[in-house]
Amino acid sequence: MKAQRQSSDRISNLPQDIIEKILTFMPIRDALKTSILSKKWRHCWKGMPKLVFDDRLSNVSSDMEDVKKYKLVITIFHVLLLHRGPILELCICISDEEIFNEIDQIILHLSWSKNIKKFIFEVYQFDEYYKLPSSFFSLQGLEHLFLKYCIIELPSTFNEFSMLKSLKFYEVYITATMLKRFLISCPLLEEFTWIGYDCLDFTGGNKCTFVELFTCLPSAQVVNISWFENKDFYAGVMSQKLPTSLVYLRILVLQVCFHEQDQISSTLCVINSSPNLEKINLRMIRYVAQTCTTLLDPQDYFGLKLDHLKELVITSFHNYASEMEFVKLIMGKSPLLKKTRIKLSTSVSVEEEVKMLRDLVYLQFPRASPEAKLIIERPKTLPAKAVKF
């Protein structure tokens, strides 16, 4: 009977590191409960390489906010103080909790660790952002960092995140000067995502343009940047190329407005400086009650070469002249292009779509890749139309 019981408990007989990885797929509250299964399981959770602290930690009803806050904070400290072994991945995603002071202490405790490789951090309290404490910048072992609803102010003692490869900012408030300093301090950065709504502070003489931002990303392979309401961000494009070529950039994702000449010039400056681009993904936007009078002259980009581009995706395409000229320019400069996917804006009528297809199919303009497919997608309900050149 004893041999039979041992053979039936296959999970307990797994190596310790395998058990720890299995526990990381469970909510941490459930992982802690495994300690009561047996003596063997009592300490298994303490070696979990991945910890996720979120609202599921506390199952107290919403009308007991003080108790919920207390239980949440106590649980986090309990886990961190009893945990043994390296924490390779840490996730803190907590909303509607007034625990900013306690979070400061948690980060201070974590700052002594050099093992954290991936940190996902989001503490959201309505309209209030969380200011990262100076101790956060002691996490020198970070390779992947995701921040949301935070305020960043670099301490004077900060040198660099020398190991950081992936950086994602969502609604992160930072001055223009601090942003450039932060990016320059990440020499190995391969992926950068910035999604925000006018979160770049230009006050007090701070300045950072779209083009200057890319000069701080010489090693980036993937860049995803949303649009900014502040027009100064796109100003000051003086040439068609950056001072330094973005030779590693493979995927470029941008939110742009082709109503604005500065945004057109900035976008094409980056594309023209990225000889190894494989995918361009643009989401077109327009300012309300503004007509498009800006035109793009392909002759200005006679030397543009996109010898590695395979895919062009444009969403919210409004069928403006500048947008159409951009599509023709890219298709004329990309000999390996396989697919151009255009997702129409809801403002484009069926008649406009037919005219657009007719212009693209029948009007003569240089097409570098005879194999390229042109796919036109209407919003949601109607099926896509595909044309192969």
Side-chain angles (χ1 to χ4, degrees), residues 303-316:
L304 176 65
K305 285 188 176 183
L306 295 170
D307 293 336
H308 300 276
L309 191 69
K310 298 178 182 178
E311 184 176 3
L312 170 66
V313 178
I314 302 179
T315 59
S316 297

Side-chain angles (χ1 to χ4, degrees), residues 59-78:
N59 58 355
V60 180
S61 61
S62 59
D63 59 342
M64 302 175 65
E65 291 299 328
D66 290 340
V67 176
K68 186 177 180 180
K69 169 187 173 181
Y70 174 80
K71 185 173 182 180
L72 180 65
V73 172
I74 290 298
T75 302
I76 294 176
F77 275 111
H78 173 81

Side-chain angles (χ1 to χ4, degrees), residues 123-376:
V123 181
Y124 181 56
Q125 172 64 23
F126 297 108
D127 295 330
E128 185 178 357
Y129 284 27
Y130 171 74
K131 183 179 178 181
L132 292 171
S134 59
S135 58
F136 170 83
F137 301 95
S138 298
L139 296 170
Q140 293 297 304
L142 285 177
E143 296 181 5
H144 307 277
L145 177 61
F146 175 104
L147 295 177
K148 190 172 184 179
Y149 304 126
C150 293
I151 299 173
I152 292 179
E153 185 174 331
L154 298 177
S156 58
T157 55
F158 174 69
N159 291 319
E160 63 179 12
F161 281 127
S162 59
M163 308 282 289
L164 200 65
K165 298 179 181 179
S166 173
L167 176 63
K168 297 183 179 181
F169 284 167
Y170 282 75
E171 295 291 339
V172 170
Y173 190 83
I174 188 172
T175 67
T177 303
M178 288 287 182
L179 178 61
K180 289 191 290 186
R181 183 182 164 198
F182 193 108
L183 295 177
I184 292 173
S185 301
C186 306
L188 300 182
L189 195 63
E190 298 176 355
E191 181 178 358
F192 176 60
T193 296
W194 175 277
I195 306 296
Y197 183 79
D198 205 22
C199 287
L200 194 60
D201 184 5
F202 282 86
T203 60
N206 288 293
K207 181 182 177 183
C208 178
T209 66
F210 181 84
V211 170
E212 288 176 335
L213 183 63
F214 275 89
T215 61
C216 300
L217 299 167
S219 301
Q221 299 180 23
V222 180
V223 176
N224 182 351
I225 298 179
S226 74
W227 73 292
F228 290 88
E229 196 173 67
N230 195 315
K231 294 184 180 181
D232 291 339
F233 183 63
Y234 295 96
V237 182
M238 303 301 294
S239 65
Q240 295 182 4
K241 281 191 174 184
L242 298 174
T244 304
S245 182
L246 303 172
V247 294
Y248 298 103
L249 190 59
R250 298 182 295 104
I251 299 175
L252 178 65
V253 183
L254 298 175
Q255 243 182 335
V256 296
C257 176
F258 268 36
H259 284 285
E260 298 288 337
Q261 184 61 55
D262 284 343
Q263 294 199 30
I264 295 175
S265 300
S266 296
T267 301
L268 282 169
C269 177
V270 170
I271 291 175
N272 201 21
S273 305
S274 309
N276 296 311
L277 271 177
E278 297 178 9
K279 181 177 181 178
I280 299 174
N281 190 332
L282 303 183
R283 183 176 185 271
M284 301 297 188
I285 59 175
R286 70 183 181 92
Y287 298 134
V288 178
Q290 181 178 353
T291 57
C292 182
T293 57
T294 303
L295 295 178
L296 188 158
D297 187 357
Q299 295 300 321
D300 293 339
Y301 299 91
F302 179 79
L304 176 65
K305 285 188 176 183
L306 295 170
D307 293 336
H308 300 276
L309 191 69
K310 298 178 182 178
E311 184 176 3
L312 170 66
V313 178
I314 302 179
T315 59
S316 297
F317 189 86
H318 297 89
N319 197 26
Y320 297 136
S322 56
E323 294 175 335
M324 185 64 75
E325 288 301 322
F326 176 81
V327 172
K328 293 178 180 179
L329 173 65
I330 299 302
M331 294 186 71
K333 301 293 185 177
S334 309
L336 297 183
L337 190 67
K338 300 297 182 183
K339 179 169 59 179
T340 296
R341 183 183 297 273
I342 298 176
K343 302 179 182 180
L344 300 176
S345 166
T346 54
S347 63
V348 179
S349 66
V350 175
E351 290 75 16
E352 289 178 301
E353 179 191 1
V354 172
K355 183 180 182 300
M356 182 178 68
L357 280 168
R358 185 170 61 246
D359 291 346
L360 287 172
V361 174
Y362 294 111
L363 292 183
Q364 295 299 315
F365 68 92
R367 302 179 181 109
S369 173
E371 300 297 324
K373 281 186 177 181
L374 174 63
I375 301 173
I376 309 294

Side-chain angles (χ1 to χ4, degrees), residues 16-32:
Q16 179 69 18
D17 61 329
I18 300 298
I19 293 177
E20 292 168 356
K21 289 181 180 179
I22 292 174
L23 292 177
T24 62
F25 291 98
M26 303 169 58
I28 196 166
R29 188 158 51 92
D30 294 337
L32 294 176

